[in-house]
mmCIF file of all heavy atoms in Angstrom:
data_model
loop_
_atom_site.group_PDB
_atom_site.id
_atom_site.type_symbol
_atom_site.label_atom_id
_atom_site.label_comp_id
_atom_site.label_asym_id
_atom_site.label_seq_id
_atom_site.Cartn_x
_atom_site.Cartn_y
_atom_site.Cartn_z
ATOM 1 N N ASP A 1 0.933 -1.175 0.069
ATOM 2 C CA ASP A 1 0.017 -0.017 0.066
ATOM 3 C C ASP A 1 0.891 1.315 0.044
ATOM 4 O O ASP A 1 1.972 1.282 0.656
ATOM 5 C CB ASP A 1 -0.852 -0.041 1.232
ATOM 6 C CG ASP A 1 -1.926 -1.058 1.187
ATOM 7 O OD1 ASP A 1 -2.393 -1.512 0.104
ATOM 8 O OD2 ASP A 1 -2.328 -1.591 2.264
ATOM 9 N N TYR A 2 0.409 2.329 -0.745
ATOM 10 C CA TYR A 2 1.226 3.529 -0.813
ATOM 11 C C TYR A 2 0.378 4.755 -0.930
ATOM 12 O O TYR A 2 -0.473 4.741 -1.979
ATOM 13 C CB TYR A 2 2.208 3.307 -1.966
ATOM 14 C CG TYR A 2 3.272 4.502 -2.038
ATOM 15 C CD1 TYR A 2 4.549 4.304 -1.652
ATOM 16 C CD2 TYR A 2 3.009 5.818 -2.678
ATOM 17 C CE1 TYR A 2 5.564 5.275 -1.763
ATOM 18 C CE2 TYR A 2 3.821 6.746 -2.726
ATOM 19 C CZ TYR A 2 5.191 6.521 -2.250
ATOM 20 O OH TYR A 2 6.110 7.467 -2.383
ATOM 21 N N ARG A 3 0.326 5.676 -0.019
ATOM 22 C CA ARG A 3 -0.439 6.801 -0.244
ATOM 23 C C ARG A 3 0.230 7.924 -1.029
ATOM 24 O O ARG A 3 1.274 8.360 -0.750
ATOM 25 C CB ARG A 3 -0.765 7.487 1.141
ATOM 26 C CG ARG A 3 -1.566 6.624 2.033
ATOM 27 C CD ARG A 3 -1.694 7.157 3.403
ATOM 28 N NE ARG A 3 -2.454 8.560 3.302
ATOM 29 C CZ ARG A 3 -1.928 9.713 3.893
ATOM 30 N NH1 ARG A 3 -0.759 9.726 4.361
ATOM 31 N NH2 ARG A 3 -2.649 10.785 3.793
ATOM 32 N N THR A 4 -0.309 8.146 -2.272
ATOM 33 C CA THR A 4 0.351 9.070 -3.126
ATOM 34 C C THR A 4 -0.035 10.533 -2.845
ATOM 35 O O THR A 4 0.467 11.438 -3.528
ATOM 36 C CB THR A 4 -0.106 8.730 -4.614
ATOM 37 O OG1 THR A 4 -1.478 8.903 -4.812
ATOM 38 C CG2 THR A 4 0.473 7.324 -5.059
ATOM 39 N N ARG A 5 -0.909 10.704 -1.948
ATOM 40 C CA ARG A 5 -1.394 12.108 -1.520
ATOM 41 C C ARG A 5 -1.324 12.301 -0.032
ATOM 42 O O ARG A 5 -1.603 11.366 0.709
ATOM 43 C CB ARG A 5 -2.802 12.402 -1.915
ATOM 44 C CG ARG A 5 -3.028 12.245 -3.491
ATOM 45 C CD ARG A 5 -2.506 13.186 -4.259
ATOM 46 N NE ARG A 5 -2.911 13.276 -5.657
ATOM 47 C CZ ARG A 5 -2.520 12.400 -6.611
ATOM 48 N NH1 ARG A 5 -1.632 11.509 -6.392
ATOM 49 N NH2 ARG A 5 -2.954 12.514 -7.868
ATOM 50 N N GLY A 6 -0.871 13.494 0.399
ATOM 51 C CA GLY A 6 -0.898 13.849 1.809
ATOM 52 C C GLY A 6 0.149 13.305 2.732
ATOM 53 O O GLY A 6 0.137 13.608 3.920
ATOM 54 N N ARG A 7 1.255 12.671 2.233
ATOM 55 C CA ARG A 7 2.272 12.261 3.088
ATOM 56 C C ARG A 7 3.278 13.430 3.389
ATOM 57 O O ARG A 7 3.242 14.432 2.750
ATOM 58 C CB ARG A 7 3.204 11.154 2.391
ATOM 59 C CG ARG A 7 2.415 9.774 2.212
ATOM 60 C CD ARG A 7 3.456 8.585 1.950
ATOM 61 N NE ARG A 7 4.340 8.989 0.951
ATOM 62 C CZ ARG A 7 5.622 9.224 0.997
ATOM 63 N NH1 ARG A 7 6.243 9.252 2.149
ATOM 64 N NH2 ARG A 7 6.334 9.370 -0.103
ATOM 65 N N ASP A 8 3.923 13.220 4.524
ATOM 66 C CA ASP A 8 4.954 14.288 4.845
ATOM 67 C C ASP A 8 6.373 13.663 5.105
ATOM 68 O O ASP A 8 6.607 12.484 4.819
ATOM 69 C CB ASP A 8 4.409 15.035 6.146
ATOM 70 C CG ASP A 8 4.365 14.146 7.359
ATOM 71 O OD1 ASP A 8 4.663 12.910 7.289
ATOM 72 O OD2 ASP A 8 3.857 14.670 8.393
ATOM 73 N N HIS A 9 7.300 14.579 5.324
ATOM 74 C CA HIS A 9 8.799 14.193 5.336
ATOM 75 C C HIS A 9 9.399 14.893 6.568
ATOM 76 O O HIS A 9 9.165 15.991 6.927
ATOM 77 C CB HIS A 9 9.374 14.643 4.035
ATOM 78 C CG HIS A 9 10.828 14.437 4.039
ATOM 79 N ND1 HIS A 9 11.416 13.100 3.815
ATOM 80 C CD2 HIS A 9 11.876 15.183 4.197
ATOM 81 C CE1 HIS A 9 12.754 13.131 3.788
ATOM 82 N NE2 HIS A 9 13.145 14.426 4.187
ATOM 83 N N GLY A 10 10.273 14.145 7.238
ATOM 84 C CA GLY A 10 10.927 14.711 8.374
ATOM 85 C C GLY A 10 12.193 13.891 8.715
ATOM 86 O O GLY A 10 12.591 13.043 7.941
ATOM 87 N N SER A 11 12.665 14.103 9.861
ATOM 88 C CA SER A 11 13.908 13.374 10.422
ATOM 89 C C SER A 11 13.632 11.938 10.711
ATOM 90 O O SER A 11 12.648 11.641 11.367
ATOM 91 C CB SER A 11 14.432 14.103 11.516
ATOM 92 O OG SER A 11 15.490 13.334 12.184
ATOM 93 N N THR A 12 14.439 11.099 10.359
ATOM 94 C CA THR A 12 14.349 9.622 10.646
ATOM 95 C C THR A 12 15.283 9.117 11.752
ATOM 96 O O THR A 12 15.330 8.072 11.972
ATOM 97 C CB THR A 12 14.369 8.879 9.315
ATOM 98 O OG1 THR A 12 15.751 8.964 8.773
ATOM 99 C CG2 THR A 12 13.425 9.076 8.432
ATOM 100 N N PHE A 13 15.994 10.113 12.256
ATOM 101 C CA PHE A 13 17.108 9.646 13.253
ATOM 102 C C PHE A 13 16.517 8.797 14.402
ATOM 103 O O PHE A 13 17.021 7.823 14.804
ATOM 104 C CB PHE A 13 17.779 10.990 13.786
ATOM 105 C CG PHE A 13 19.006 10.677 14.671
ATOM 106 C CD1 PHE A 13 19.973 9.873 14.291
ATOM 107 C CD2 PHE A 13 19.109 11.228 15.958
ATOM 108 C CE1 PHE A 13 21.143 9.655 15.137
ATOM 109 C CE2 PHE A 13 20.190 11.031 16.756
ATOM 110 C CZ PHE A 13 21.182 10.149 16.331
ATOM 111 N N ASP A 14 15.493 9.400 14.972
ATOM 112 C CA ASP A 14 14.928 8.657 16.150
ATOM 113 C C ASP A 14 14.329 7.273 15.756
ATOM 114 O O ASP A 14 14.483 6.290 16.633
ATOM 115 C CB ASP A 14 13.737 9.433 16.704
ATOM 116 C CG ASP A 14 14.140 10.571 17.641
ATOM 117 O OD1 ASP A 14 15.432 10.726 17.977
ATOM 118 O OD2 ASP A 14 13.262 11.418 18.020
ATOM 119 N N MET A 15 13.928 7.048 14.515
ATOM 120 C CA MET A 15 13.422 5.790 14.016
ATOM 121 C C MET A 15 14.596 4.828 14.055
ATOM 122 O O MET A 15 14.561 3.610 14.315
ATOM 123 C CB MET A 15 12.760 5.886 12.824
ATOM 124 C CG MET A 15 11.496 6.870 12.816
ATOM 125 S SD MET A 15 10.627 6.882 11.099
ATOM 126 C CE MET A 15 10.150 8.667 11.304
ATOM 127 N N HIS A 16 15.849 5.333 13.499
ATOM 128 C CA HIS A 16 16.891 4.484 13.401
ATOM 129 C C HIS A 16 17.455 4.004 14.710
ATOM 130 O O HIS A 16 17.895 2.976 14.901
ATOM 131 C CB HIS A 16 18.024 5.137 12.566
ATOM 132 C CG HIS A 16 17.678 5.166 11.141
ATOM 133 N ND1 HIS A 16 17.642 4.091 10.234
ATOM 134 C CD2 HIS A 16 17.531 6.178 10.334
ATOM 135 C CE1 HIS A 16 17.466 4.355 9.030
ATOM 136 N NE2 HIS A 16 17.253 5.711 8.947
ATOM 137 N N ARG A 17 17.362 4.960 15.701
ATOM 138 C CA ARG A 17 17.763 4.553 17.091
ATOM 139 C C ARG A 17 16.939 3.535 17.571
ATOM 140 O O ARG A 17 17.408 2.662 18.199
ATOM 141 C CB ARG A 17 17.893 5.957 17.953
ATOM 142 C CG ARG A 17 18.863 6.935 17.493
ATOM 143 C CD ARG A 17 19.077 8.023 18.572
ATOM 144 N NE ARG A 17 17.806 8.747 18.966
ATOM 145 C CZ ARG A 17 17.317 8.726 20.212
ATOM 146 N NH1 ARG A 17 17.868 8.035 21.111
ATOM 147 N NH2 ARG A 17 16.278 9.513 20.433
ATOM 148 N N LEU A 18 15.544 3.663 17.443
ATOM 149 C CA LEU A 18 14.654 2.655 17.777
ATOM 150 C C LEU A 18 14.997 1.252 17.079
ATOM 151 O O LEU A 18 14.738 0.138 17.714
ATOM 152 C CB LEU A 18 13.293 3.037 17.520
ATOM 153 C CG LEU A 18 12.669 4.075 18.536
ATOM 154 C CD1 LEU A 18 11.276 4.400 18.132
ATOM 155 C CD2 LEU A 18 12.668 3.574 19.996
ATOM 156 N N LEU A 19 15.313 1.380 15.888
ATOM 157 C CA LEU A 19 15.543 0.047 15.085
ATOM 158 C C LEU A 19 16.858 -0.576 15.675
ATOM 159 O O LEU A 19 16.921 -1.864 15.763
ATOM 160 C CB LEU A 19 15.889 0.378 13.650
ATOM 161 C CG LEU A 19 14.633 0.650 12.841
ATOM 162 C CD1 LEU A 19 14.942 1.276 11.435
ATOM 163 C CD2 LEU A 19 13.849 -0.628 12.656
ATOM 164 N N HIS A 20 17.815 0.076 16.297
ATOM 165 C CA HIS A 20 18.937 -0.498 17.032
ATOM 166 C C HIS A 20 18.396 -1.138 18.245
ATOM 167 O O HIS A 20 18.996 -2.204 18.652
ATOM 168 C CB HIS A 20 20.009 0.390 17.196
ATOM 169 C CG HIS A 20 20.858 0.597 15.937
ATOM 170 N ND1 HIS A 20 21.964 -0.265 15.657
ATOM 171 C CD2 HIS A 20 20.923 1.671 14.910
ATOM 172 C CE1 HIS A 20 22.530 0.089 14.470
ATOM 173 N NE2 HIS A 20 21.899 1.159 14.069
ATOM 174 N N LEU A 21 17.533 -0.452 19.047
ATOM 175 C CA LEU A 21 17.088 -1.111 20.218
ATOM 176 C C LEU A 21 16.261 -2.388 19.774
ATOM 177 O O LEU A 21 16.373 -3.464 20.514
ATOM 178 C CB LEU A 21 15.997 -0.069 20.855
ATOM 179 C CG LEU A 21 15.124 -0.734 21.992
ATOM 180 C CD1 LEU A 21 15.868 -1.023 23.161
ATOM 181 C CD2 LEU A 21 13.912 0.286 22.265
ATOM 182 N N ALA A 22 15.511 -2.280 18.763
ATOM 183 C CA ALA A 22 14.732 -3.555 18.277
ATOM 184 C C ALA A 22 15.733 -4.592 17.865
ATOM 185 O O ALA A 22 15.421 -5.771 18.059
ATOM 186 C CB ALA A 22 13.843 -3.141 17.059
ATOM 187 N N LYS A 23 16.825 -4.329 17.223
ATOM 188 C CA LYS A 23 17.823 -5.303 16.920
ATOM 189 C C LYS A 23 18.354 -6.096 18.052
ATOM 190 O O LYS A 23 18.330 -7.260 18.111
ATOM 191 C CB LYS A 23 19.031 -4.619 16.189
ATOM 192 C CG LYS A 23 20.018 -5.587 15.665
ATOM 193 C CD LYS A 23 21.109 -4.769 15.048
ATOM 194 C CE LYS A 23 22.361 -5.785 14.627
ATOM 195 N NZ LYS A 23 23.482 -5.004 14.014
ATOM 196 N N ASP A 24 18.617 -5.410 19.186
ATOM 197 C CA ASP A 24 19.056 -5.864 20.428
ATOM 198 C C ASP A 24 17.934 -6.835 21.030
ATOM 199 O O ASP A 24 18.288 -7.777 21.661
ATOM 200 C CB ASP A 24 19.415 -4.880 21.506
ATOM 201 C CG ASP A 24 20.692 -4.191 21.126
ATOM 202 O OD1 ASP A 24 21.436 -4.652 20.351
ATOM 203 O OD2 ASP A 24 21.033 -3.110 21.884
ATOM 204 N N ALA A 25 16.726 -6.590 20.720
ATOM 205 C CA ALA A 25 15.600 -7.373 21.250
ATOM 206 C C ALA A 25 15.164 -8.443 20.289
ATOM 207 O O ALA A 25 14.063 -9.115 20.541
ATOM 208 C CB ALA A 25 14.443 -6.440 21.541
ATOM 209 N N GLY A 26 15.865 -8.469 19.158
ATOM 210 C CA GLY A 26 15.447 -9.462 18.106
ATOM 211 C C GLY A 26 14.122 -9.150 17.454
ATOM 212 O O GLY A 26 13.420 -9.938 16.904
ATOM 213 N N ARG A 27 13.714 -7.872 17.280
ATOM 214 C CA ARG A 27 12.451 -7.498 16.810
ATOM 215 C C ARG A 27 12.676 -6.313 15.704
ATOM 216 O O ARG A 27 11.865 -5.687 15.304
ATOM 217 C CB ARG A 27 11.625 -6.773 17.844
ATOM 218 C CG ARG A 27 11.280 -7.703 18.923
ATOM 219 C CD ARG A 27 10.585 -9.010 18.462
ATOM 220 N NE ARG A 27 9.332 -8.733 17.817
ATOM 221 C CZ ARG A 27 8.619 -9.629 17.110
ATOM 222 N NH1 ARG A 27 9.170 -10.936 16.912
ATOM 223 N NH2 ARG A 27 7.533 -9.328 16.485
ATOM 224 N N GLN A 28 13.906 -6.270 15.101
ATOM 225 C CA GLN A 28 14.250 -5.322 14.093
ATOM 226 C C GLN A 28 13.362 -5.399 12.930
ATOM 227 O O GLN A 28 12.814 -4.332 12.418
ATOM 228 C CB GLN A 28 15.731 -5.336 13.778
ATOM 229 C CG GLN A 28 16.263 -4.137 12.867
ATOM 230 C CD GLN A 28 17.591 -4.374 12.475
ATOM 231 O OE1 GLN A 28 18.121 -5.313 12.043
ATOM 232 N NE2 GLN A 28 18.432 -3.239 12.608
ATOM 233 N N GLU A 29 13.306 -6.542 12.278
ATOM 234 C CA GLU A 29 12.493 -6.700 11.076
ATOM 235 C C GLU A 29 11.049 -6.270 11.319
ATOM 236 O O GLU A 29 10.367 -5.596 10.459
ATOM 237 C CB GLU A 29 12.558 -8.237 10.668
ATOM 238 C CG GLU A 29 11.904 -8.406 9.288
ATOM 239 C CD GLU A 29 13.007 -8.122 8.184
ATOM 240 O OE1 GLU A 29 14.175 -8.448 8.443
ATOM 241 O OE2 GLU A 29 12.546 -7.836 6.971
ATOM 242 N N ALA A 30 10.385 -6.557 12.428
ATOM 243 C CA ALA A 30 9.086 -6.234 12.692
ATOM 244 C C ALA A 30 8.881 -4.745 12.848
ATOM 245 O O ALA A 30 7.835 -4.279 12.237
ATOM 246 C CB ALA A 30 8.711 -6.983 13.934
ATOM 247 N N LEU A 31 9.801 -4.055 13.315
ATOM 248 C CA LEU A 31 9.749 -2.631 13.589
ATOM 249 C C LEU A 31 10.005 -1.941 12.262
ATOM 250 O O LEU A 31 9.165 -0.934 12.003
ATOM 251 C CB LEU A 31 10.729 -2.148 14.655
ATOM 252 C CG LEU A 31 10.613 -0.588 14.908
ATOM 253 C CD1 LEU A 31 9.264 -0.180 15.281
ATOM 254 C CD2 LEU A 31 11.712 -0.082 15.932
ATOM 255 N N LEU A 32 10.870 -2.463 11.433
ATOM 256 C CA LEU A 32 11.096 -1.830 10.232
ATOM 257 C C LEU A 32 9.859 -1.870 9.321
ATOM 258 O O LEU A 32 9.559 -0.861 8.699
ATOM 259 C CB LEU A 32 12.377 -2.473 9.576
ATOM 260 C CG LEU A 32 12.775 -1.933 8.171
ATOM 261 C CD1 LEU A 32 13.238 -0.387 8.286
ATOM 262 C CD2 LEU A 32 14.041 -2.533 7.582
ATOM 263 N N ASP A 33 9.374 -3.050 9.337
ATOM 264 C CA ASP A 33 7.959 -3.251 8.529
ATOM 265 C C ASP A 33 6.990 -2.252 9.046
ATOM 266 O O ASP A 33 6.106 -1.641 8.213
ATOM 267 C CB ASP A 33 7.634 -4.678 8.538
ATOM 268 C CG ASP A 33 8.386 -5.464 7.662
ATOM 269 O OD1 ASP A 33 9.208 -5.058 6.793
ATOM 270 O OD2 ASP A 33 8.381 -6.805 7.962
ATOM 271 N N ALA A 34 6.812 -2.135 10.371
ATOM 272 C CA ALA A 34 5.894 -1.290 10.924
ATOM 273 C C ALA A 34 6.054 0.210 10.647
ATOM 274 O O ALA A 34 5.098 0.920 10.280
ATOM 275 C CB ALA A 34 5.768 -1.444 12.475
ATOM 276 N N LEU A 35 7.325 0.694 10.605
ATOM 277 C CA LEU A 35 7.621 2.000 10.274
ATOM 278 C C LEU A 35 7.401 2.337 8.726
ATOM 279 O O LEU A 35 6.860 3.306 8.470
ATOM 280 C CB LEU A 35 9.237 2.284 10.650
ATOM 281 C CG LEU A 35 9.551 2.330 12.098
ATOM 282 C CD1 LEU A 35 10.905 2.378 12.322
ATOM 283 C CD2 LEU A 35 8.792 3.502 12.815
ATOM 284 N N TYR A 36 7.782 1.282 7.918
ATOM 285 C CA TYR A 36 7.558 1.548 6.437
ATOM 286 C C TYR A 36 6.002 1.673 6.165
ATOM 287 O O TYR A 36 5.665 2.531 5.494
ATOM 288 C CB TYR A 36 8.110 0.421 5.742
ATOM 289 C CG TYR A 36 9.534 0.497 5.313
ATOM 290 C CD1 TYR A 36 10.357 -0.750 5.251
ATOM 291 C CD2 TYR A 36 10.139 1.623 4.882
ATOM 292 C CE1 TYR A 36 11.737 -0.626 4.918
ATOM 293 C CE2 TYR A 36 11.440 1.716 4.459
ATOM 294 C CZ TYR A 36 12.226 0.632 4.543
ATOM 295 O OH TYR A 36 13.625 0.638 4.195
ATOM 296 N N ARG A 37 5.297 0.719 6.884
ATOM 297 C CA ARG A 37 3.838 0.673 6.542
ATOM 298 C C ARG A 37 3.206 2.124 7.032
ATOM 299 O O ARG A 37 2.380 2.719 6.444
ATOM 300 C CB ARG A 37 3.273 -0.484 7.305
ATOM 301 C CG ARG A 37 1.755 -0.688 6.997
ATOM 302 C CD ARG A 37 1.347 -2.073 7.534
ATOM 303 N NE ARG A 37 1.588 -2.295 8.834
ATOM 304 C CZ ARG A 37 2.503 -3.069 9.264
ATOM 305 N NH1 ARG A 37 3.309 -3.798 8.470
ATOM 306 N NH2 ARG A 37 2.756 -3.289 10.533
ATOM 307 N N ALA A 38 3.663 2.485 8.324
ATOM 308 C CA ALA A 38 3.116 3.714 8.758
ATOM 309 C C ALA A 38 3.435 4.856 8.022
ATOM 310 O O ALA A 38 2.493 5.804 7.824
ATOM 311 C CB ALA A 38 3.664 3.927 10.337
ATOM 312 N N ASN A 39 4.690 4.987 7.518
ATOM 313 C CA ASN A 39 5.056 6.079 6.723
ATOM 314 C C ASN A 39 4.373 6.322 5.345
ATOM 315 O O ASN A 39 4.040 7.254 4.823
ATOM 316 C CB ASN A 39 6.512 6.171 6.559
ATOM 317 C CG ASN A 39 7.147 7.450 5.873
ATOM 318 O OD1 ASN A 39 6.523 8.523 6.119
ATOM 319 N ND2 ASN A 39 8.052 7.331 5.008
ATOM 320 N N PHE A 40 4.424 5.020 4.687
ATOM 321 C CA PHE A 40 3.994 5.126 3.300
ATOM 322 C C PHE A 40 2.444 4.658 3.055
ATOM 323 O O PHE A 40 1.970 5.094 2.123
ATOM 324 C CB PHE A 40 4.858 4.154 2.500
ATOM 325 C CG PHE A 40 6.280 4.603 2.350
ATOM 326 C CD1 PHE A 40 7.315 4.060 2.914
ATOM 327 C CD2 PHE A 40 6.489 5.757 1.548
ATOM 328 C CE1 PHE A 40 8.624 4.378 2.887
ATOM 329 C CE2 PHE A 40 7.845 6.142 1.424
ATOM 330 C CZ PHE A 40 8.791 5.506 2.059
ATOM 331 N N ALA A 41 1.832 4.008 4.079
ATOM 332 C CA ALA A 41 0.427 3.562 3.772
ATOM 333 C C ALA A 41 -0.682 4.154 4.747
ATOM 334 O O ALA A 41 -1.792 4.084 4.391
ATOM 335 C CB ALA A 41 0.461 1.995 3.947
ATOM 336 N N GLU A 42 -0.144 4.688 5.837
ATOM 337 C CA GLU A 42 -1.089 5.086 6.931
ATOM 338 C C GLU A 42 -1.158 6.658 6.910
ATOM 339 O O GLU A 42 -0.222 7.355 6.576
ATOM 340 C CB GLU A 42 -0.774 4.511 8.316
ATOM 341 C CG GLU A 42 -0.913 2.921 8.173
ATOM 342 C CD GLU A 42 -0.347 2.421 9.406
ATOM 343 O OE1 GLU A 42 -0.165 3.075 10.376
ATOM 344 O OE2 GLU A 42 -0.344 1.159 9.487
ATOM 345 N N GLU A 43 -2.206 7.155 7.481
ATOM 346 C CA GLU A 43 -2.512 8.640 7.579
ATOM 347 C C GLU A 43 -1.735 9.398 8.541
ATOM 348 O O GLU A 43 -1.267 10.531 8.367
ATOM 349 C CB GLU A 43 -4.002 8.895 7.717
ATOM 350 C CG GLU A 43 -4.798 8.529 6.474
ATOM 351 C CD GLU A 43 -6.185 9.075 6.454
ATOM 352 O OE1 GLU A 43 -6.467 9.968 7.285
ATOM 353 O OE2 GLU A 43 -7.029 8.482 5.679
ATOM 354 N N ARG A 44 -1.590 8.754 9.750
ATOM 355 C CA ARG A 44 -1.044 9.485 10.860
ATOM 356 C C ARG A 44 0.423 9.635 10.579
ATOM 357 O O ARG A 44 1.196 8.491 10.398
ATOM 358 C CB ARG A 44 -1.383 8.933 12.191
ATOM 359 C CG ARG A 44 -0.679 9.653 13.422
ATOM 360 C CD ARG A 44 -1.216 8.918 14.653
ATOM 361 N NE ARG A 44 -0.486 9.552 15.828
ATOM 362 C CZ ARG A 44 -0.482 9.018 17.147
ATOM 363 N NH1 ARG A 44 -1.419 8.050 17.337
ATOM 364 N NH2 ARG A 44 0.248 9.629 17.901
ATOM 365 N N SER A 45 1.184 10.703 10.726
ATOM 366 C CA SER A 45 2.495 10.973 10.485
ATOM 367 C C SER A 45 3.365 10.147 11.554
ATOM 368 O O SER A 45 2.981 10.021 12.735
ATOM 369 C CB SER A 45 2.867 12.367 10.599
ATOM 370 O OG SER A 45 4.189 12.607 10.452
ATOM 371 N N VAL A 46 4.553 9.704 11.129
ATOM 372 C CA VAL A 46 5.531 9.136 11.966
ATOM 373 C C VAL A 46 6.583 10.192 12.485
ATOM 374 O O VAL A 46 7.477 9.792 13.160
ATOM 375 C CB VAL A 46 6.225 8.013 11.478
ATOM 376 C CG1 VAL A 46 5.112 6.863 11.064
ATOM 377 C CG2 VAL A 46 6.944 8.401 10.053
ATOM 378 N N PHE A 47 6.540 11.405 12.005
ATOM 379 C CA PHE A 47 7.628 12.296 12.295
ATOM 380 C C PHE A 47 7.190 13.219 13.333
ATOM 381 O O PHE A 47 6.054 13.727 13.533
ATOM 382 C CB PHE A 47 7.861 13.201 10.990
ATOM 383 C CG PHE A 47 8.245 12.419 9.805
ATOM 384 C CD1 PHE A 47 7.438 12.051 8.728
ATOM 385 C CD2 PHE A 47 9.537 11.891 9.738
ATOM 386 C CE1 PHE A 47 7.948 11.264 7.708
ATOM 387 C CE2 PHE A 47 10.005 11.126 8.613
ATOM 388 C CZ PHE A 47 9.075 10.759 7.623
ATOM 389 N N ALA A 48 8.258 13.460 14.225
ATOM 390 C CA ALA A 48 8.051 14.304 15.389
ATOM 391 C C ALA A 48 6.935 14.041 16.365
ATOM 392 O O ALA A 48 6.233 14.887 16.942
ATOM 393 C CB ALA A 48 8.026 15.838 14.864
#
């Protein structure tokens, strides 16, 4: 799924930091998929 209208853009530094936390917990793949889906397919922003 990909929203071609109404998406926004911002810093991803905090997301990458959380992905390293998720890596330590063995959940990196799950979080990465969730972040991608939230950013590209869902309405609520993931930024700030």
Side-chain angles (χ1 to χ4, degrees):
D1 292 329
Y2 189 101
R3 293 178 62 236
T4 60
R5 303 290 191 280
R7 289 195 310 107
D8 58 11
H9 176 79
S11 171
T12 57
F13 184 56
D14 282 351
M15 298 180 216
H16 285 294
R17 295 194 301 116
L18 283 176
L19 283 166
H20 277 279
L21 170 69
K23 181 181 177 183
D24 286 348
R27 304 300 300 167
Q28 188 185 45
E29 189 86 28
L31 180 57
L32 182 60
D33 285 340
L35 290 170
Y36 274 142
R37 186 169 54 252
N39 184 40
F40 292 108
E42 298 175 4
E43 290 189 16
R44 183 176 170 185
S45 176
V46 294
F47 300 105

